[in-house]
Amino acid sequence: MPFDFIKAALEQRAADSLLRKRVEVANNSQAIIEVDGNHYINFSSNDYLGLSQHQDVLQSFAEGLSLYGASSSASSVVTGYSREHRLLEEDICEHTQFDNALLFSSGFAANQAVCQALFQTTNINIDTARYVIADKLMHASFIDSAMQLNNGQKNPIFSRFRHNDMQHLQSKLVHGADNLVVTEGIFSMDGDRGDIQGIKAALDDSKSSAWLMVDDAHAIGCVGENGMGSTTIPIASAKANASLGSLQTKAHRQRKVDVLMGTFGKAIGTQGSFVAGSNDFIEYLVNFSKHYVYSTAIPAAQARATRTSLQIMRKGIEREMLHQNISKFKELAIAAGLPILPVDGPIQPIIIGDPIKALAISQHLKSLGIWVNAIRSPTVPKHSDRLRITLSALHQTQDIQALVDALSLSMASMQSESTS
């Protein structure tokens, strides 16, 4: 039968305890979700600041719907580009100090757009060889597109360096070629920081022709000057660089990267993404990025709501609440002896190392009213299966205490079963 591998592939995933299933959320309010008639405290959302439910953001969305309708109804290069899109792009540039920005429907689309436009363009003459070198733990949205670049190539265009390993990065740089080096501001599964300062220094030392690109999907809204991400943390301040919650003055800001990708569907609480860079680079994407040219633009109402959300985020109230909750979780988790990692962001993984055990603990947590997803291969490397806990400004102290108590009970129960 045609495509008869499909059933076998699904059966193998199930046998390996790696089969993904969707759940239907009936209600989502103030960090509580309803699934199958049961209510859970949600510790698996990327809505780090709770802005998806902020009344001013919802009002702005409603106003945008009234003014522009529910869809932009065309590509941005036809009639889909509105005043709201321009204002949002200008807002991003003003607060990240990039020359220009472009909006995309998702972070996945934005990352693929950069790869496709820079490395798969066939209708222009390019004499210089080009290479992509990415951190080993980069998100699948970038890795998937970059890996396709190697298809049919005698010499691989794409390679990866060991996580935050600057010597290994330098060994990968190709002299006499254009290198695009890519990392993340906050890594989506481990929750730690990309060594942007180290990469910049390594590139300067190597004297290679290189751009540095940062995927700031999980950092926008959470770190940097006014919450505007990793690129607004001054390179000279190691102390500030280690503090996720620190706010910096404009006088000390120093942009360190050439291409920035950020998303709105996480801490900003709306949807979509952006790529920021030089005027020439953005104009190049407008002309050569198929993901931009041939996609309907994000709704103008969405762009309007996103700009409102960014304005609220920069005031810092929700960010302060988030970082208080992160500190409280770490304090309680350490006191309870939970095996958390030394990271200070909203993503707090607990490595289990086995997909069956990770699923079992996740299910036990749900029986206690706590929603924490198990993350398994291939999303994370084999034997690093984990609970991915995410904290939000919406969580109350009693929510975090309930999480820690439930984790202690669930992991003790699993340990007891393993030794019996």
Side-chain angles (χ1 to χ4, degrees), residues 135-139 163-164 182-195 215 218 347 388:
D135 189 289
K136 181 73 174 177
L137 299 185
M138 276 294 298
H139 191 270
H163 182 50
N164 280 343
V182 192
T183 190
E184 295 190 30
I186 295 178
F187 283 85
S188 61
M189 289 297 126
D190 285 42
D192 63 339
R193 297 288 305 275
D195 187 2
D215 178 332
H218 293 271
I347 302 165
R388 182 182 183 269

Side-chain angles (χ1 to χ4, degrees), residues 8-308:
L10 291 172
E11 289 174 346
Q12 186 62 54
R13 273 284 171 93
D16 295 337
S17 296
L18 300 176
L19 189 67
R20 295 185 177 101
K21 291 286 188 179
R22 297 181 296 175
V23 296
E24 181 180 316
V25 177
N27 189 30
N28 179 14
S29 178
Q30 297 301 308
I32 303 294
I33 58 172
E34 180 185 347
V35 178
D36 294 332
N38 298 310
H39 293 82
Y40 306 88
I41 306 173
N42 185 11
F43 287 98
S44 287
S45 169
N46 293 328
D47 189 10
Y48 304 129
L49 303 179
L51 292 176
S52 70
Q53 301 176 31
H54 196 289
Q55 288 302 308
D56 290 350
V57 176
L58 300 180
Q59 178 63 32
S60 185
F61 218 134
E63 292 170 356
L65 289 170
S66 176
L67 290 169
Y68 298 96
S71 172
S72 60
S73 303
S75 163
S76 293
V77 297
V78 183
T79 58
Y81 186 71
S82 72
R83 177 176 180 270
E84 297 297 342
H85 296 96
R86 175 180 60 79
L87 290 174
L88 177 54
E89 291 169 351
E90 290 176 354
D91 182 282
I92 291 165
C93 293
E94 177 185 353
H95 293 282
T96 59
Q97 296 296 287
F98 282 86
D99 297 333
N100 212 336
L102 208 61
L103 304 179
F104 289 86
S105 60
S106 68
F108 206 108
N111 275 337
Q112 296 225 333
V114 172
C115 273
Q116 176 267 324
L118 285 179
F119 295 93
Q120 293 182 334
T121 302
T122 58
N123 56 344
I124 58 175
N125 293 322
I126 301 174
D127 296 326
T128 307
R130 295 157 293 157
Y131 295 90
V132 186
I133 309 166
D135 189 289
K136 181 73 174 177
L137 299 185
M138 276 294 298
H139 191 270
S141 60
F142 190 89
I143 296 298
D144 178 71
S145 183
M147 288 182 69
Q148 295 178 32
L149 302 175
N150 288 343
N151 292 342
Q153 297 289 331
K154 180 182 290 188
N155 297 313
I157 293 174
F158 170 59
S159 63
R160 290 189 271 187
F161 63 94
R162 289 186 292 271
H163 182 50
N164 280 343
D165 186 330
M166 297 305 105
Q167 287 188 329
H168 196 219
L169 165 61
Q170 287 186 316
S171 73
K172 296 283 186 179
L173 294 168
V174 182
H175 293 275
D178 289 337
N179 299 270
L180 180 68
V181 178
V182 192
T183 190
E184 295 190 30
I186 295 178
F187 283 85
S188 61
M189 289 297 126
D190 285 42
D192 63 339
R193 297 288 305 275
D195 187 2
I196 298 173
Q197 179 178 341
I199 293 174
K200 193 66 176 177
L203 296 182
D204 290 343
D205 289 345
S206 72
K207 296 182 173 56
S208 297
S209 175
W211 271 4
L212 172 57
M213 174 179 172
V214 173
D215 178 332
D216 243 3
H218 293 271
I220 294 289
C222 297
V223 305
E225 181 186 344
N226 295 327
M228 288 304 292
S230 304
T231 67
T232 56
I233 297 176
I235 197 168
S237 176
K239 182 177 180 181
N241 213 23
S243 173
L244 288 176
S246 62
L247 304 180
Q248 305 301 323
T249 62
K250 184 175 290 188
H252 293 101
R253 179 166 56 195
Q254 181 176 353
R255 180 165 64 83
K256 308 181 291 297
V257 308
D258 302 283
V259 179
L260 173 67
M261 195 286 287
T263 61
F264 308 130
K266 297 176 177 65
I268 307 307
T270 57
Q271 192 70 27
S273 67
F274 70 88
V275 172
S278 67
N279 281 320
D280 282 347
F281 176 62
I282 297 303
E283 192 68 19
Y284 177 82
L285 290 181
V286 170
N287 284 274
F288 292 99
S289 168
K290 294 178 182 177
H291 294 76
Y292 187 76
V293 173
Y294 299 113
S295 289
T296 299
I298 65 171
Q302 186 174 303
R304 184 185 181 96
T306 299
R307 187 159 54 92
T308 297

